[in-house]
Structures are given as structure tokens and as C-alpha cells.
Amino acid sequence: MDILIEDLEGSLWVAAIDKKSKIQNLEIDPYAEIVRWGSIYMGKVGRIDAANDAAYIDLGYGYEGILFRDDVRLDGAHPPKSKKIGQLLSPGQMIMVQVKTAFNPLPSDIESDQPQKVSKLSMEIALQGRYL
């Protein structure tokens, strides 16, 4: 297996190619990606959204993500289904989360007064091969 790495217009492209020159895996890190997919943060629970059974997590630097109740892990296990997210987490609590959907803003998004989109987060942490 060969690994090819290319910096293309500021984005990092990594391809794993087998002996038959077929691409087995392709990873792209866009240059404009502010909150990167797979990144791990020690975030602070902001507000609890009871209607969506979710919590907004402050990632720092003015960015936040959303953590749904199904993505909460306590001591590495799923909490009981009967408990709502407000019973599992509390505002101000520090938790470790991983980004599951990245935030790639357009220039108009950054300059806008509109609320920013948020990344989906999970407490189920998976280390990607590129970090090992």
C-alpha cells in the first residue's frame, strides 16, 4: 500500500493506493474548514435544548457544536434511555467531544450577523489513523 499526500490549493489530500493502483481511501482536509471533522475538543456545556434532547457545547474561539442525547457516553457506555440530556449533563460541565460533521463557512457566513451553523458532536471518541 502506498500513501500519496498532495497540498492542492491549500487543502491537504491523502490517498491510500493498493498495489493495483486503485484508491482504497481518500481523505481531504479543506483549507477553509474551521471546525475539522474528527477533531477532539474539551468543550463546555452551554445550554440544554430540551425540545431536541440536545446540548450546545462551547468549543472555544466563538464556535459551538450540538451534542444529541444519543451521542452521549458516560464512563464509555450509553446512559439509560429513560434519562433526558438535562439529567446527564449540566451547563458549565467540561466534556470531551469529537466533531462528526465539519463546519466549512462561506465568506458570507463569517461576515453575516445570522446565527452560525453548528457542527454535530459525539462523546464516542475514535482516533483516526492519520493521528496515530
Side-chain angles (χ1 to χ4, degrees):
M1 173 120 7
D2 290 322
I3 298 186
L4 302 175
I5 302 172
E6 180 70 30
D7 183 351
L8 185 63
E9 298 178 5
S11 296
L12 188 63
W13 293 59
V14 180
I17 301 175
D18 67 12
K19 295 186 188 286
K20 297 178 183 178
S21 298
K22 290 187 177 184
I23 294 177
Q24 296 299 312
N25 193 12
L26 179 66
E27 296 282 339
I28 303 169
D29 284 334
Y31 76 93
E33 194 172 62
I34 291 178
V35 177
R36 294 179 163 268
W37 174 87
S39 294
I40 300 170
Y41 290 88
M42 181 59 82
K44 182 191 268 187
V45 177
R47 61 186 168 88
I48 303 294
D49 182 351
N52 290 315
D53 207 13
Y56 285 90
I57 310 299
D58 180 3
L59 302 175
Y61 304 104
Y63 298 104
E64 69 178 356
I66 189 166
L67 176 68
F68 291 98
R69 189 249 175 261
D70 289 343
D71 294 313
V72 172
R73 303 292 180 272
L74 298 175
D75 297 324
H78 294 276
K81 291 278 186 189
S82 61
K83 292 196 173 190
K84 300 289 184 188
I85 199 162
Q87 297 171 307
L88 304 171
L89 302 174
S90 56
Q93 182 179 352
M94 298 297 290
I95 59 171
M96 189 171 290
V97 292
Q98 186 170 34
V99 178
K100 296 301 177 184
T101 60
F103 173 50
N104 297 308
L106 298 171
S108 60
D109 292 337
I110 295 171
E111 298 166 3
S112 171
D113 291 336
Q114 297 295 322
Q116 298 286 333
K117 294 180 181 178
V118 295
S119 297
K120 184 178 175 192
L121 307 173
S122 175
M123 289 177 72
E124 187 167 355
I125 308 296
L127 293 179
Q128 306 302 319
R130 63 184 164 178
Y131 297 120
L132 297 178

PDB file of all heavy atoms in Angstrom, residues 49-80:
ATOM      1  N   ASP A  49     -30.968  22.044  25.270  1.00  0.00           N
ATOM      2  CA  ASP A  49     -32.135  22.221  24.413  1.00  0.00           C
ATOM      3  C   ASP A  49     -33.059  21.024  24.656  1.00  0.00           C
ATOM      4  O   ASP A  49     -32.911  19.982  24.032  1.00  0.00           O
ATOM      5  CB  ASP A  49     -31.698  22.302  22.953  1.00  0.00           C
ATOM      6  CG  ASP A  49     -32.838  22.539  21.985  1.00  0.00           C
ATOM      7  OD1 ASP A  49     -34.019  22.476  22.413  1.00  0.00           O
ATOM      8  OD2 ASP A  49     -32.557  22.769  20.798  1.00  0.00           O
ATOM      9  N   ALA A  50     -33.989  21.175  25.575  1.00  0.00           N
ATOM     10  CA  ALA A  50     -34.872  20.071  25.955  1.00  0.00           C
ATOM     11  C   ALA A  50     -35.752  19.611  24.803  1.00  0.00           C
ATOM     12  O   ALA A  50     -36.043  18.423  24.671  1.00  0.00           O
ATOM     13  CB  ALA A  50     -35.730  20.475  27.148  1.00  0.00           C
ATOM     14  N   ALA A  51     -36.161  20.539  23.942  1.00  0.00           N
ATOM     15  CA  ALA A  51     -37.041  20.188  22.823  1.00  0.00           C
ATOM     16  C   ALA A  51     -36.368  19.204  21.858  1.00  0.00           C
ATOM     17  O   ALA A  51     -37.024  18.313  21.321  1.00  0.00           O
ATOM     18  CB  ALA A  51     -37.458  21.443  22.073  1.00  0.00           C
ATOM     19  N   ASN A  52     -35.066  19.365  21.640  1.00  0.00           N
ATOM     20  CA  ASN A  52     -34.325  18.472  20.741  1.00  0.00           C
ATOM     21  C   ASN A  52     -33.546  17.402  21.500  1.00  0.00           C
ATOM     22  O   ASN A  52     -32.837  16.608  20.874  1.00  0.00           O
ATOM     23  CB  ASN A  52     -33.359  19.272  19.871  1.00  0.00           C
ATOM     24  CG  ASN A  52     -34.080  20.103  18.855  1.00  0.00           C
ATOM     25  OD1 ASN A  52     -35.011  19.629  18.204  1.00  0.00           O
ATOM     26  ND2 ASN A  52     -33.671  21.355  18.713  1.00  0.00           N
ATOM     27  N   ASP A  53     -33.653  17.398  22.827  1.00  0.00           N
ATOM     28  CA  ASP A  53     -32.889  16.486  23.682  1.00  0.00           C
ATOM     29  C   ASP A  53     -31.412  16.547  23.301  1.00  0.00           C
ATOM     30  O   ASP A  53     -30.776  15.546  22.983  1.00  0.00           O
ATOM     31  CB  ASP A  53     -33.424  15.051  23.589  1.00  0.00           C
ATOM     32  CG  ASP A  53     -33.149  14.250  24.856  1.00  0.00           C
ATOM     33  OD1 ASP A  53     -32.778  14.856  25.881  1.00  0.00           O
ATOM     34  OD2 ASP A  53     -33.302  13.014  24.807  1.00  0.00           O
ATOM     35  N   ALA A  54     -30.890  17.782  23.332  1.00  0.00           N
ATOM     36  CA  ALA A  54     -29.515  18.037  22.913  1.00  0.00           C
ATOM     37  C   ALA A  54     -28.905  19.117  23.794  1.00  0.00           C
ATOM     38  O   ALA A  54     -29.605  19.818  24.528  1.00  0.00           O
ATOM     39  CB  ALA A  54     -29.487  18.474  21.457  1.00  0.00           C
ATOM     40  N   ALA A  55     -27.583  19.236  23.709  1.00  0.00           N
ATOM     41  CA  ALA A  55     -26.866  20.283  24.425  1.00  0.00           C
ATOM     42  C   ALA A  55     -25.960  21.005  23.443  1.00  0.00           C
ATOM     43  O   ALA A  55     -25.375  20.373  22.551  1.00  0.00           O
ATOM     44  CB  ALA A  55     -26.041  19.688  25.559  1.00  0.00           C
ATOM     45  N   TYR A  56     -25.848  22.302  23.585  1.00  0.00           N
ATOM     46  CA  TYR A  56     -24.901  23.080  22.793  1.00  0.00           C
ATOM     47  C   TYR A  56     -23.596  23.151  23.568  1.00  0.00           C
ATOM     48  O   TYR A  56     -23.579  23.489  24.750  1.00  0.00           O
ATOM     49  CB  TYR A  56     -25.459  24.471  22.499  1.00  0.00           C
ATOM     50  CG  TYR A  56     -26.528  24.418  21.436  1.00  0.00           C
ATOM     51  CD1 TYR A  56     -27.862  24.229  21.780  1.00  0.00           C
ATOM     52  CD2 TYR A  56     -26.195  24.513  20.093  1.00  0.00           C
ATOM     53  CE1 TYR A  56     -28.840  24.154  20.804  1.00  0.00           C
ATOM     54  CE2 TYR A  56     -27.170  24.439  19.110  1.00  0.00           C
ATOM     55  CZ  TYR A  56     -28.486  24.257  19.472  1.00  0.00           C
ATOM     56  OH  TYR A  56     -29.450  24.169  18.504  1.00  0.00           O
ATOM     57  N   ILE A  57     -22.515  22.810  22.893  1.00  0.00           N
ATOM     58  CA  ILE A  57     -21.202  22.722  23.523  1.00  0.00           C
ATOM     59  C   ILE A  57     -20.316  23.836  22.982  1.00  0.00           C
ATOM     60  O   ILE A  57     -20.146  23.975  21.766  1.00  0.00           O
ATOM     61  CB  ILE A  57     -20.536  21.353  23.238  1.00  0.00           C
ATOM     62  CG1 ILE A  57     -21.485  20.195  23.547  1.00  0.00           C
ATOM     63  CG2 ILE A  57     -19.220  21.228  23.990  1.00  0.00           C
ATOM     64  CD1 ILE A  57     -21.955  20.100  24.972  1.00  0.00           C
ATOM     65  N   ASP A  58     -19.736  24.632  23.884  1.00  0.00           N
ATOM     66  CA  ASP A  58     -18.809  25.696  23.509  1.00  0.00           C
ATOM     67  C   ASP A  58     -17.456  25.060  23.231  1.00  0.00           C
ATOM     68  O   ASP A  58     -16.841  24.454  24.100  1.00  0.00           O
ATOM     69  CB  ASP A  58     -18.706  26.709  24.649  1.00  0.00           C
ATOM     70  CG  ASP A  58     -17.756  27.849  24.358  1.00  0.00           C
ATOM     71  OD1 ASP A  58     -17.202  27.916  23.238  1.00  0.00           O
ATOM     72  OD2 ASP A  58     -17.566  28.679  25.263  1.00  0.00           O
ATOM     73  N   LEU A  59     -16.986  25.205  21.969  1.00  0.00           N
ATOM     74  CA  LEU A  59     -15.703  24.622  21.560  1.00  0.00           C
ATOM     75  C   LEU A  59     -14.560  25.621  21.697  1.00  0.00           C
ATOM     76  O   LEU A  59     -13.402  25.275  21.491  1.00  0.00           O
ATOM     77  CB  LEU A  59     -15.790  24.141  20.106  1.00  0.00           C
ATOM     78  CG  LEU A  59     -16.878  23.106  19.821  1.00  0.00           C
ATOM     79  CD1 LEU A  59     -16.940  22.800  18.332  1.00  0.00           C
ATOM     80  CD2 LEU A  59     -16.661  21.845  20.635  1.00  0.00           C
ATOM     81  N   GLY A  60     -14.875  26.854  22.039  1.00  0.00           N
ATOM     82  CA  GLY A  60     -13.864  27.905  22.147  1.00  0.00           C
ATOM     83  C   GLY A  60     -13.782  28.714  20.868  1.00  0.00           C
ATOM     84  O   GLY A  60     -14.299  28.326  19.822  1.00  0.00           O
ATOM     85  N   TYR A  61     -13.137  29.852  20.946  1.00  0.00           N
ATOM     86  CA  TYR A  61     -12.926  30.742  19.803  1.00  0.00           C
ATOM     87  C   TYR A  61     -14.233  31.144  19.119  1.00  0.00           C
ATOM     88  O   TYR A  61     -14.259  31.394  17.916  1.00  0.00           O
ATOM     89  CB  TYR A  61     -11.965  30.125  18.790  1.00  0.00           C
ATOM     90  CG  TYR A  61     -10.642  29.744  19.390  1.00  0.00           C
ATOM     91  CD1 TYR A  61     -10.354  28.419  19.665  1.00  0.00           C
ATOM     92  CD2 TYR A  61      -9.707  30.717  19.715  1.00  0.00           C
ATOM     93  CE1 TYR A  61      -9.150  28.067  20.241  1.00  0.00           C
ATOM     94  CE2 TYR A  61      -8.493  30.366  20.292  1.00  0.00           C
ATOM     95  CZ  TYR A  61      -8.223  29.049  20.549  1.00  0.00           C
ATOM     96  OH  TYR A  61      -7.037  28.702  21.122  1.00  0.00           O
ATOM     97  N   GLY A  62     -15.335  31.163  19.862  1.00  0.00           N
ATOM     98  CA  GLY A  62     -16.609  31.588  19.309  1.00  0.00           C
ATOM     99  C   GLY A  62     -17.367  30.515  18.545  1.00  0.00           C
ATOM    100  O   GLY A  62     -18.372  30.809  17.910  1.00  0.00           O
ATOM    101  N   TYR A  63     -16.932  29.274  18.577  1.00  0.00           N
ATOM    102  CA  TYR A  63     -17.599  28.188  17.862  1.00  0.00           C
ATOM    103  C   TYR A  63     -18.269  27.250  18.846  1.00  0.00           C
ATOM    104  O   TYR A  63     -17.808  27.079  19.969  1.00  0.00           O
ATOM    105  CB  TYR A  63     -16.604  27.409  16.992  1.00  0.00           C
ATOM    106  CG  TYR A  63     -15.995  28.285  15.943  1.00  0.00           C
ATOM    107  CD1 TYR A  63     -14.706  28.759  16.080  1.00  0.00           C
ATOM    108  CD2 TYR A  63     -16.732  28.684  14.835  1.00  0.00           C
ATOM    109  CE1 TYR A  63     -14.158  29.602  15.135  1.00  0.00           C
ATOM    110  CE2 TYR A  63     -16.192  29.523  13.886  1.00  0.00           C
ATOM    111  CZ  TYR A  63     -14.903  29.974  14.037  1.00  0.00           C
ATOM    112  OH  TYR A  63     -14.369  30.810  13.101  1.00  0.00           O
ATOM    113  N   GLU A  64     -19.378  26.679  18.389  1.00  0.00           N
ATOM    114  CA  GLU A  64     -20.075  25.707  19.218  1.00  0.00           C
ATOM    115  C   GLU A  64     -20.563  24.563  18.358  1.00  0.00           C
ATOM    116  O   GLU A  64     -20.627  24.658  17.138  1.00  0.00           O
ATOM    117  CB  GLU A  64     -21.227  26.356  19.989  1.00  0.00           C
ATOM    118  CG  GLU A  64     -22.387  26.806  19.160  1.00  0.00           C
ATOM    119  CD  GLU A  64     -23.515  27.404  19.990  1.00  0.00           C
ATOM    120  OE1 GLU A  64     -23.452  27.410  21.227  1.00  0.00           O
ATOM    121  OE2 GLU A  64     -24.485  27.866  19.388  1.00  0.00           O
ATOM    122  N   GLY A  65     -20.868  23.470  19.023  1.00  0.00           N
ATOM    123  CA  GLY A  65     -21.399  22.299  18.346  1.00  0.00           C
ATOM    124  C   GLY A  65     -22.618  21.814  19.097  1.00  0.00           C
ATOM    125  O   GLY A  65     -22.899  22.260  20.216  1.00  0.00           O
ATOM    126  N   ILE A  66     -23.331  20.886  18.489  1.00  0.00           N
ATOM    127  CA  ILE A  66     -24.517  20.325  19.128  1.00  0.00           C
ATOM    128  C   ILE A  66     -24.265  18.855  19.430  1.00  0.00           C
ATOM    129  O   ILE A  66     -23.746  18.109  18.605  1.00  0.00           O
ATOM    130  CB  ILE A  66     -25.779  20.537  18.264  1.00  0.00           C
ATOM    131  CG1 ILE A  66     -27.021  20.132  19.054  1.00  0.00           C
ATOM    132  CG2 ILE A  66     -25.679  19.796  16.939  1.00  0.00           C
ATOM    133  CD1 ILE A  66     -28.329  20.618  18.439  1.00  0.00           C
ATOM    134  N   LEU A  67     -24.614  18.457  20.636  1.00  0.00           N
ATOM    135  CA  LEU A  67     -24.465  17.081  21.093  1.00  0.00           C
ATOM    136  C   LEU A  67     -25.857  16.543  21.398  1.00  0.00           C
ATOM    137  O   LEU A  67     -26.512  17.008  22.331  1.00  0.00           O
ATOM    138  CB  LEU A  67     -23.588  17.029  22.346  1.00  0.00           C
ATOM    139  CG  LEU A  67     -23.412  15.673  23.009  1.00  0.00           C
ATOM    140  CD1 LEU A  67     -22.607  14.729  22.109  1.00  0.00           C
ATOM    141  CD2 LEU A  67     -22.718  15.819  24.358  1.00  0.00           C
ATOM    142  N   PHE A  68     -26.303  15.588  20.600  1.00  0.00           N
ATOM    143  CA  PHE A  68     -27.606  14.979  20.832  1.00  0.00           C
ATOM    144  C   PHE A  68     -27.493  13.902  21.902  1.00  0.00           C
ATOM    145  O   PHE A  68     -26.434  13.321  22.117  1.00  0.00           O
ATOM    146  CB  PHE A  68     -28.169  14.391  19.530  1.00  0.00           C
ATOM    147  CG  PHE A  68     -28.549  15.446  18.533  1.00  0.00           C
ATOM    148  CD1 PHE A  68     -27.690  15.780  17.501  1.00  0.00           C
ATOM    149  CD2 PHE A  68     -29.750  16.122  18.649  1.00  0.00           C
ATOM    150  CE1 PHE A  68     -28.033  16.765  16.586  1.00  0.00           C
ATOM    151  CE2 PHE A  68     -30.102  17.113  17.744  1.00  0.00           C
ATOM    152  CZ  PHE A  68     -29.238  17.431  16.712  1.00  0.00           C
ATOM    153  N   ARG A  69     -28.593  13.622  22.568  1.00  0.00           N
ATOM    154  CA  ARG A  69     -28.626  12.679  23.677  1.00  0.00           C
ATOM    155  C   ARG A  69     -28.096  11.301  23.270  1.00  0.00           C
ATOM    156  O   ARG A  69     -27.403  10.646  24.018  1.00  0.00           O
ATOM    157  CB  ARG A  69     -30.067  12.579  24.201  1.00  0.00           C
ATOM    158  CG  ARG A  69     -30.182  11.802  25.487  1.00  0.00           C
ATOM    159  CD  ARG A  69     -30.913  10.491  25.190  1.00  0.00           C
ATOM    160  NE  ARG A  69     -30.946   9.669  26.364  1.00  0.00           N
ATOM    161  CZ  ARG A  69     -30.096   8.662  26.578  1.00  0.00           C
ATOM    162  NH1 ARG A  69     -29.162   8.366  25.740  1.00  0.00           N
ATOM    163  NH2 ARG A  69     -30.177   7.932  27.663  1.00  0.00           N
ATOM    164  N   ASP A  70     -28.382  10.854  22.040  1.00  0.00           N
ATOM    165  CA  ASP A  70     -27.920   9.538  21.589  1.00  0.00           C
ATOM    166  C   ASP A  70     -26.407   9.460  21.420  1.00  0.00           C
ATOM    167  O   ASP A  70     -25.854   8.369  21.313  1.00  0.00           O
ATOM    168  CB  ASP A  70     -28.596   9.151  20.266  1.00  0.00           C
ATOM    169  CG  ASP A  70     -30.064   8.821  20.439  1.00  0.00           C
ATOM    170  OD1 ASP A  70     -30.494   8.577  21.592  1.00  0.00           O
ATOM    171  OD2 ASP A  70     -30.790   8.818  19.424  1.00  0.00           O
ATOM    172  N   ASP A  71     -25.721  10.613  21.382  1.00  0.00           N
ATOM    173  CA  ASP A  71     -24.265  10.642  21.230  1.00  0.00           C
ATOM    174  C   ASP A  71     -23.537  10.855  22.553  1.00  0.00           C
ATOM    175  O   ASP A  71     -22.326  11.035  22.575  1.00  0.00           O
ATOM    176  CB  ASP A  71     -23.869  11.735  20.231  1.00  0.00           C
ATOM    177  CG  ASP A  71     -24.357  11.419  18.833  1.00  0.00           C
ATOM    178  OD1 ASP A  71     -24.168  10.270  18.397  1.00  0.00           O
ATOM    179  OD2 ASP A  71     -24.935  12.313  18.181  1.00  0.00           O
ATOM    180  N   VAL A  72     -24.273  10.840  23.656  1.00  0.00           N
ATOM    181  CA  VAL A  72     -23.679  10.990  24.983  1.00  0.00           C
ATOM    182  C   VAL A  72     -23.151   9.640  25.453  1.00  0.00           C
ATOM    183  O   VAL A  72     -23.806   8.605  25.289  1.00  0.00           O
ATOM    184  CB  VAL A  72     -24.709  11.542  26.001  1.00  0.00           C
ATOM    185  CG1 VAL A  72     -24.156  11.527  27.412  1.00  0.00           C
ATOM    186  CG2 VAL A  72     -25.136  12.946  25.605  1.00  0.00           C
ATOM    187  N   ARG A  73     -21.956   9.645  26.023  1.00  0.00           N
ATOM    188  CA  ARG A  73     -21.364   8.451  26.636  1.00  0.00           C
ATOM    189  C   ARG A  73     -20.895   8.838  28.036  1.00  0.00           C
ATOM    190  O   ARG A  73     -20.219   9.852  28.188  1.00  0.00           O
ATOM    191  CB  ARG A  73     -20.158   7.926  25.840  1.00  0.00           C
ATOM    192  CG  ARG A  73     -20.434   7.594  24.400  1.00  0.00           C
ATOM    193  CD  ARG A  73     -21.349   6.375  24.278  1.00  0.00           C
ATOM    194  NE  ARG A  73     -21.615   6.063  22.891  1.00  0.00           N
ATOM    195  CZ  ARG A  73     -22.590   6.575  22.164  1.00  0.00           C
ATOM    196  NH1 ARG A  73     -23.406   7.470  22.695  1.00  0.00           N
ATOM    197  NH2 ARG A  73     -22.779   6.217  20.914  1.00  0.00           N
ATOM    198  N   LEU A  74     -21.265   8.041  29.006  1.00  0.00           N
ATOM    199  CA  LEU A  74     -20.812   8.255  30.380  1.00  0.00           C
ATOM    200  C   LEU A  74     -20.037   7.026  30.806  1.00  0.00           C
ATOM    201  O   LEU A  74     -20.563   5.903  30.747  1.00  0.00           O
ATOM    202  CB  LEU A  74     -22.005   8.504  31.302  1.00  0.00           C
ATOM    203  CG  LEU A  74     -22.834   9.754  30.962  1.00  0.00           C
ATOM    204  CD1 LEU A  74     -24.044   9.839  31.854  1.00  0.00           C
ATOM    205  CD2 LEU A  74     -21.986  11.009  31.058  1.00  0.00           C
ATOM    206  N   ASP A  75     -18.800   7.228  31.185  1.00  0.00           N
ATOM    207  CA  ASP A  75     -17.896   6.120  31.536  1.00  0.00           C
ATOM    208  C   ASP A  75     -17.814   5.111  30.395  1.00  0.00           C
ATOM    209  O   ASP A  75     -17.771   3.898  30.613  1.00  0.00           O
ATOM    210  CB  ASP A  75     -18.331   5.443  32.839  1.00  0.00           C
ATOM    211  CG  ASP A  75     -18.259   6.396  34.021  1.00  0.00           C
ATOM    212  OD1 ASP A  75     -17.328   7.224  34.043  1.00  0.00           O
ATOM    213  OD2 ASP A  75     -19.129   6.318  34.899  1.00  0.00           O
ATOM    214  N   GLY A  76     -17.848   5.602  29.156  1.00  0.00           N
ATOM    215  CA  GLY A  76     -17.707   4.752  27.978  1.00  0.00           C
ATOM    216  C   GLY A  76     -18.951   3.985  27.578  1.00  0.00           C
ATOM    217  O   GLY A  76     -18.915   3.200  26.642  1.00  0.00           O
ATOM    218  N   ALA A  77     -20.050   4.201  28.253  1.00  0.00           N
ATOM    219  CA  ALA A  77     -21.272   3.437  27.957  1.00  0.00           C
ATOM    220  C   ALA A  77     -22.436   4.374  27.637  1.00  0.00           C
ATOM    221  O   ALA A  77     -22.446   5.539  28.012  1.00  0.00           O
ATOM    222  CB  ALA A  77     -21.634   2.566  29.152  1.00  0.00           C
ATOM    223  N   HIS A  78     -23.428   3.819  26.942  1.00  0.00           N
ATOM    224  CA  HIS A  78     -24.657   4.562  26.685  1.00  0.00           C
ATOM    225  C   HIS A  78     -25.420   4.710  27.997  1.00  0.00           C
ATOM    226  O   HIS A  78     -25.582   3.738  28.733  1.00  0.00           O
ATOM    227  CB  HIS A  78     -25.554   3.807  25.698  1.00  0.00           C
ATOM    228  CG  HIS A  78     -24.984   3.695  24.326  1.00  0.00           C
ATOM    229  ND1 HIS A  78     -25.110   4.683  23.387  1.00  0.00           N
ATOM    230  CD2 HIS A  78     -24.280   2.706  23.732  1.00  0.00           C
ATOM    231  CE1 HIS A  78     -24.513   4.312  22.275  1.00  0.00           C
ATOM    232  NE2 HIS A  78     -23.997   3.116  22.451  1.00  0.00           N
ATOM    233  N   PRO A  79     -25.892   5.904  28.309  1.00  0.00           N
ATOM    234  CA  PRO A  79     -26.716   6.061  29.512  1.00  0.00           C
ATOM    235  C   PRO A  79     -28.092   5.444  29.285  1.00  0.00           C
ATOM    236  O   PRO A  79     -28.496   5.203  28.147  1.00  0.00           O
ATOM    237  CB  PRO A  79     -26.801   7.578  29.693  1.00  0.00           C
ATOM    238  CG  PRO A  79     -26.494   8.149  28.356  1.00  0.00           C
ATOM    239  CD  PRO A  79     -25.643   7.160  27.633  1.00  0.00           C
ATOM    240  N   PRO A  80     -28.841   5.198  30.355  1.00  0.00           N
ATOM    241  CA  PRO A  80     -30.187   4.627  30.205  1.00  0.00           C
ATOM    242  C   PRO A  80     -31.064   5.506  29.318  1.00  0.00           C
ATOM    243  O   PRO A  80     -31.015   6.733  29.399  1.00  0.00           O
ATOM    244  CB  PRO A  80     -30.734   4.597  31.639  1.00  0.00           C
ATOM    245  CG  PRO A  80     -29.542   4.705  32.517  1.00  0.00           C
ATOM    246  CD  PRO A  80     -28.489   5.432  31.749  1.00  0.00           C
TER     247      PRO A  80
END
